[in-house]
Amino acid sequence: MTTHAVRLESADAAVTVVSAEQAVTDWSARYFGTWWKAADADPASNCAGPLVTADVDNREYDAMALAVTQSPHTSTAYARAQLLLAGGVSGGVIRAVSPEGALAYRSEPGAGRLDVVGCRTEDVATATARLAREMVRGLLLRDGWAVLHASAVVQDGRTVLTFGGKGAGKTTTALALASRHGLGLLANDRVFVRPGERGGVDVLPWPSAAAVGLGLLEALGWFETARERLEAGEVLHPTQDKRVTEALLAGDRAPLWERGKELKTQVFPDQFTSWFGVPLATEGEAAVLVFPRIEAGAVPAVEETGRALGGADFMSGRTEDRYPDVFGLLGVDGGGTAAARENVARRLAELPHHSVVLGHDVAANADFLAKVTGLAA
């Protein structure tokens, strides 16, 4: 039986994904792409290091699911779905099953191995990529990196970090600068950071699909491109609500809301380049911090009251409610060690900080931000 493998590398961390299903390894190769130097690998020569294996096998899934459900187990939420965890750890092995996704898991944290088995190829591919990212994250965190809740764009290695909660403008700031001034997109929502050897803060990408509202998609001039691509048979990330896809195909640019939450397009990382012409950056050094807020009708301007970096701007195990470390892949707090966060915060505090108000005119926002940050011509 033919086996396929793809190796993911970021800084000194490397994880190999192996599967008999090429669609599974192709998914990881596409998802992590240039951000994490995803490349085809020889399965035989890469099985000694950190490894995620993935199989699409109904019988094996049934057997693994039965072993969990017939033993004492607990229930938790993982990736917005119910996860049943076998009680206790036997022989250094953690077993779990997600009935909704028909996915079963076997994790050996001490050996650096995690097995994913499921019934549907796309579900297995999605879960495999997610857990490969968690495995890389664990390697990076244990190597002194921390995780910031920020978007990031890069010009000539110098990085603009943008902070704020949902709706503050992290995505707007990053995509405005990337689309209008050609800056490389490093991350949409979070980044890895570590004190660098030159006294600064090194920044690495956190690969993920990006949520872009229909209004922002239109303001960036990307709506028609997305519509044409969908009409041609291409697809966006499967986590996208079908109502968003229907709106795109119908040419309906009005933002969609449900229970106070905007439903957004979910863009694969590689689609920023292939669909919208935005380059992806692979690393950078922090140069300037931006703290935006969006106000309808506002003229872009610097705010008089500045904001400093705070503890809430770092991710932590407490904030990772969607992906708790149930498989023992991290080994430290989900946002990095306290020492790593403190060292990064101290160095970032020395960089220029800009609190700004932005309106809904993306071009005006981009030109203003380029002037304020001094990174774009």
Side-chain angles (χ1 to χ4, degrees):
M1 180 176 64
T2 303
T3 304
H4 307 275
V6 61
R7 188 169 177 83
L8 315 173
E9 295 185 11
S10 183
D12 294 325
V15 168
T16 304
V17 174
V18 176
S19 179
E21 299 284 337
Q22 186 171 358
V24 173
T25 53
D26 283 351
W27 186 284
S28 287
R30 178 190 184 187
Y31 197 84
F32 298 109
T34 56
W35 265 342
W36 276 3
K37 303 175 186 175
D40 291 339
D42 177 3
S45 64
N46 285 283
C47 292
L51 182 70
V52 180
T53 73
D55 289 308
V56 181
D57 188 321
N58 290 24
R59 289 187 178 181
E60 181 64 15
Y61 165 76
D62 289 341
M64 292 175 69
L66 186 64
V68 172
T69 56
Q70 287 195 335
S71 66
H73 60 271
T74 59
S75 176
T76 189
Y78 190 85
R80 294 178 175 171
Q82 182 189 36
L83 184 75
L84 304 180
L85 280 162
V89 178
S90 176
V93 176
I94 299 170
R95 295 178 174 83
V97 61
S98 177
E100 180 181 337
L103 294 163
Y105 307 93
R106 183 180 187 275
S107 177
E108 298 179 70
R113 177 179 177 127
L114 188 141
D115 305 319
V116 182
V117 178
C119 301
R120 298 181 291 270
T121 300
E122 186 174 278
D123 290 338
V124 171
T126 303
T128 299
R130 179 188 304 123
L131 288 163
R133 184 177 63 190
E134 289 298 281
M135 192 171 281
V136 171
R137 173 161 68 143
L139 294 171
L140 290 173
L141 295 183
R142 294 194 296 275
D143 196 32
W145 293 85
V147 184
L148 279 175
H149 188 203
S151 68
V153 287
V154 180
Q155 182 191 62
D156 299 329
R158 303 183 68 218
T159 304
V160 178
L161 293 171
T162 305
F163 299 86
K166 291 182 179 179
K170 293 192 303 298
T171 298
T172 296
T173 297
L175 297 186
L177 285 169
S179 65
R180 188 164 173 84
H181 291 281
L183 276 68
L185 180 64
L186 188 72
N188 172 66
D189 188 62
R190 62 181 74 179
V191 291
F192 290 96
V193 286
R194 185 176 71 173
E197 295 180 355
R198 297 181 299 177
V201 173
D202 294 335
V203 188
L204 293 176
W206 168 284
S208 69
V212 183
L214 293 174
L216 179 56
L217 201 70
E218 170 68 8
L220 289 164
W222 294 352
F223 189 98
E224 279 302 318
T225 299
R227 182 183 183 186
E228 291 169 2
R229 292 279 187 157
L230 291 175
E231 288 177 335
E234 297 184 62
V235 297
L236 289 157
H237 195 274
T239 55
Q240 179 171 293
D241 191 290
K242 67 178 182 179
R243 289 169 289 182
V244 176
T245 304
E246 292 167 355
L248 284 165
L249 290 170
D252 186 355
R253 294 156 170 78
L256 294 173
W257 296 87
E258 181 180 64
R259 299 176 183 176
K261 178 181 179 182
E262 186 177 4
L263 304 179
K264 300 181 178 182
T265 57
Q266 300 291 329
V267 182
F268 274 105
D270 69 299
Q271 289 173 331
F272 279 112
T273 301
S274 62
W275 286 26
F276 308 126
V278 171
L280 301 182
T282 59
E283 60 184 357
E285 182 175 330
V288 58
L289 281 59
V290 176
F291 302 91
R293 68 179 181 87
I294 304 293
E295 181 180 305
V299 174
V302 175
E303 300 265 53
E304 291 184 5
T305 303
R307 177 166 100 71
L309 191 72
D313 293 309
F314 286 88
M315 304 302 296
S316 72
R318 293 188 302 276
T319 57
E320 290 291 4
D321 53 346
R322 188 184 301 181
Y323 307 123
D325 188 28
V326 294
F327 298 109
L329 302 178
L330 303 186
V332 297
D333 182 86
T337 65
R341 295 196 298 268
E342 290 170 4
N343 289 338
V344 165
R346 184 170 58 253
R347 294 194 182 186
L348 290 179
E350 299 173 357
L351 299 177
H353 290 46
H354 301 290
S355 293
V356 300
V357 59
L358 304 175
H360 288 167
D361 185 329
V362 169
N365 290 340
D367 293 344
F368 166 76
L369 289 166
K371 181 178 180 179
V372 168
T373 59
L375 290 182

